[in-house]
């Protein structure tokens, strides 16, 4: 006879959960930061986000990977431009409206990198 182990609950640090949710950890509520997050809790947050999560996703501050995606540049491109701090949606929109030279350049670099990646993928 085989004995079945009880299924263990997968948990993660709140920093990891925030990253998976696409939000800045330091901007999350204290109760979120204080504990661990189970896989079920993460799934619940993704499927029915509470007001604080909806607000963070909409208004920020956003982590660098989200800022880069919203601007259409790479994380390295942000660093080259000297943007190292999280930005809010309003700040991102202002950058888009201003469209500085570095943003145009980094978007072109990103487009070229995507084109090259696609070419290499088709070669395989």
């Amino acid at each position: 006879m085989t004995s079945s182990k009880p299924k263990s609950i997968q948990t993660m640090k709140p920093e990891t959960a925030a990253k998976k949710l696409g939000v800045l950890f330091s901007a999350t509520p204290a109760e979120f930061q204080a504990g661990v997050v189970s896989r079920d809790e993460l799934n619940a947050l993704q499927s029915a986000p509470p007001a604080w999560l909806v607000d963070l996703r909409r208004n920020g501050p956003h982590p660098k990977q989200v800022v880069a995606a919203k601007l259409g540049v790479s994380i390295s491109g942000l660093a080259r431009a000297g943007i190292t701090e999280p930005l809010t949606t309003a700040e991102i929109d202002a950058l888009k409206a201003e469209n500085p030279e570095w943003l145009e350049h980094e978007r072109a670099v990103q487009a070229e990198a995507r084109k090259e990646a696609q070419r290499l993928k088709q070669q395989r």
Side-chain angles (χ1 to χ4, degrees):
M1 189 162 132
T2 61
S3 63
S4 61
K5 288 183 178 179
K7 187 176 179 184
S8 64
I9 297 174
Q10 275 188 313
T11 59
M12 63 191 82
K13 294 178 183 175
E15 293 93 339
T16 304
K19 192 171 190 174
K20 289 180 182 282
L21 292 169
V23 296
L24 189 66
F25 172 70
S26 61
T28 60
E31 59 271 10
F32 179 83
Q33 294 180 20
V36 295
V37 179
S38 72
R39 175 65 62 188
D40 291 338
E41 289 169 333
L42 179 68
N43 290 340
L45 287 169
Q46 289 174 325
S47 63
W52 65 263
L53 182 55
V54 171
D55 185 54
L56 271 179
R57 285 178 170 168
R58 182 181 309 122
N59 302 317
H62 302 288
K64 62 185 167 191
Q65 65 269 21
V66 174
V67 173
K70 286 180 178 271
L71 289 174
V73 300
S74 66
I75 293 173
S76 299
L78 287 178
R80 284 190 292 271
I83 298 179
T84 57
E85 297 297 316
L87 299 178
T88 64
T89 300
E91 292 168 327
I92 293 168
D93 290 343
L95 270 175
K96 286 180 179 178
E98 184 183 321
N99 201 22
E101 188 177 317
W102 70 263
L103 183 57
E104 286 184 36
H105 173 75
E106 291 300 336
R107 283 180 171 166
V109 168
Q110 183 75 349
E112 191 60 38
R114 285 189 188 121
K115 197 183 324 179
E116 180 65 11
Q118 184 65 28
R119 186 187 68 78
L120 292 173
K121 184 178 178 183
Q122 288 175 347
Q123 272 186 342
R124 291 185 210 149

